[in-house]
Amino acid sequence: MPELPEVETMRRGIAALSGARILEARFPVGRCRPLSMRPAPGRLAEALGGAVIGPVTRHGKRVAIALAGGGPDAWLVIEPRMTGLLLVADPPTEKHLRMELLLDGPVRRLLFWDQRGLGTIRLLDAAGLERACGGAALGPDGLVVTAEALAERLGASRRAVKVALLDQRAVAGIGNIYAAEILHRAAIDPRVPCRRLRSDDFERLARAARRVLASAVDHEGSSIGDELYRTADNRKGRFQRLHRVYGRAGHPCRRCGGAIARIVQAQRSTFFCPGCQRAAGARGLVPGRRRA
DNA sequence: CGTTCAACCTGGGCGC
DNA sequence: TGCGCCCAGGTTGAAC
């Protein structure tokens, strides 16, 4: 579910909790897969109880909640993955509530709810935070990525540009929805190998990434159909209304009127407009063409 | 180096 | 009503 815009919206929705003390941390029994929580829930609850919430930051698709109060520096790092939500409002169901933090501030509790349970909760020290969210793990944030950074990190790659944009080490925060929307705005064929892109393609790509992601943040992310994503105070995002290609296979392109296509790349759906997104793609993608 | 597959999970929608 | 299958916003590791 959440990509950069949704995770940033969650971050903003809980940023005001800074300064609140955690009175108690609860991890409902039986809903904690061993791999998704580190350390184990018991130790997690022990470490969180009594801590004071500090600044809340975002690193790609991860939220880091700084913890103060006595002990050494620590961060609670939450990765929502497909269906995770950080909520101050009531959860959709009690069933998939994974973590409940009771607070002493005006907001009484912070929840992590996750239907599919793929999300992760980790308590990290400074070294762990660097390992999980530092420059070796994550590329530049999608909101501020530059053409130079993209060209440097992807320029030599043979991978299709859509697949490469999902690589968090290249650029952080882009997922399946926004990769499609960004490439449409940049008018680049998702199948083009990165190495075939020229500097003006990288310029359009970086500008499209910044603009699409910033606009999606302004609209509080995308809540598609009856999907689960909500803001921390349980409102739907509004960016889905502005999608140009994602989820629109067979529908007319809002720019050229041609039919939006759906293909599969790296086992995931890619939506694009074959009419608008071929300027760069035409080079080297002629059917039947072999290397000389 | 790059791709493919499976795995981790739940749940909605579809055809039969 | 039920069953089997496919799909879904993500990430990781193994195999080729």
Side-chain angles (χ1 to χ4, degrees):
Chain A
M1 174 191 290
E3 306 180 30
L4 185 154
E6 292 77 27
V7 177
E8 173 62 15
T9 301
M10 291 180 204
R11 186 198 71 76
R12 293 182 181 190
I14 68 169
L17 301 182
S18 179
R21 182 177 297 276
I22 299 170
L23 299 174
E24 186 186 346
R26 295 176 179 167
F27 297 87
V29 181
R31 305 212 199 104
C32 308
R33 291 190 310 118
L35 295 177
S36 64
M37 290 189 193
R38 294 200 176 173
R43 280 197 52 203
L44 217 39
E46 195 178 325
L48 291 173
V52 174
I53 293 178
V56 182
T57 53
R58 179 186 57 77
H59 307 266
K61 302 175 190 174
R62 291 156 198 172
V63 169
I65 301 171
L67 300 172
D73 290 343
W75 287 265
L76 186 64
V77 175
I78 295 177
E79 198 176 333
R81 301 269 178 107
M82 294 290 269
T83 52
L85 297 175
L86 283 167
L87 296 168
V88 295
D90 291 338
T93 64
E94 282 297 314
K95 186 176 176 189
H96 298 110
L97 189 59
R98 312 287 172 169
M99 178 182 80
E100 180 175 20
L101 302 183
L102 304 182
L103 311 175
D104 74 349
V107 176
R108 311 301 295 187
R109 59 180 196 167
L110 169 60
L111 309 177
F112 183 63
W113 183 91
D114 184 6
Q115 181 180 86
R116 287 172 71 174
L118 300 176
T120 66
I121 298 174
R122 286 177 291 177
L123 184 66
L124 301 175
D125 59 14
L129 184 71
E130 173 61 25
R131 224 175 302 123
C133 300
L138 299 175
D141 196 78
L143 283 174
V144 296
V145 72
T146 63
E148 291 71 25
L150 288 181
E152 182 191 331
R153 287 160 183 268
L154 301 178
S157 171
R158 302 169 125 89
R159 305 157 86 188
V161 60
K162 152 63 159 48
V163 177
L165 283 178
L166 298 180
D167 182 347
Q168 302 300 300
R169 290 167 305 182
V171 50
I174 296 173
N176 213 32
I177 292 178
Y178 296 102
E181 296 300 321
I182 287 164
L183 287 167
H184 183 267
R185 171 158 282 199
I188 294 172
D189 188 313
R191 298 164 293 185
V192 182
C194 293
R195 66 192 324 202
R196 295 212 176 263
L197 298 175
R198 303 180 309 199
S199 62
D200 60 302
D201 295 320
F202 282 115
E203 286 290 347
R204 290 202 316 287
L205 188 55
R207 193 177 308 121
R210 296 190 303 263
R211 291 191 57 179
V212 167
L213 294 170
S215 177
V217 170
D218 286 344
H219 289 84
E220 299 184 299
S222 301
S223 296
I224 295 173
D226 58 352
E227 291 278 357
L228 300 162
Y229 165 69
R230 296 291 187 278
T231 64
D233 56 348
N234 194 32
R235 288 173 296 107
K236 288 191 177 189
R238 302 180 308 280
F239 191 73
Q240 65 279 6
R241 300 172 197 164
L242 302 180
H243 288 180
R244 296 184 179 192
V245 288
Y246 186 85
R248 299 192 65 242
H251 291 87
C253 173
R254 288 174 178 149
R255 184 195 285 157
C256 77
I260 301 301
R262 173 187 178 274
I263 60 173
V264 173
Q265 294 178 286
Q267 284 83 290
R268 311 194 66 190
S269 292
T270 295
F271 297 91
F272 72 110
C273 172
C276 294
Q277 297 173 253
R278 66 183 175 193
R283 297 194 302 275
L285 279 186
V286 182
R289 185 82 168 264
R290 292 174 303 149
R291 69 182 178 83

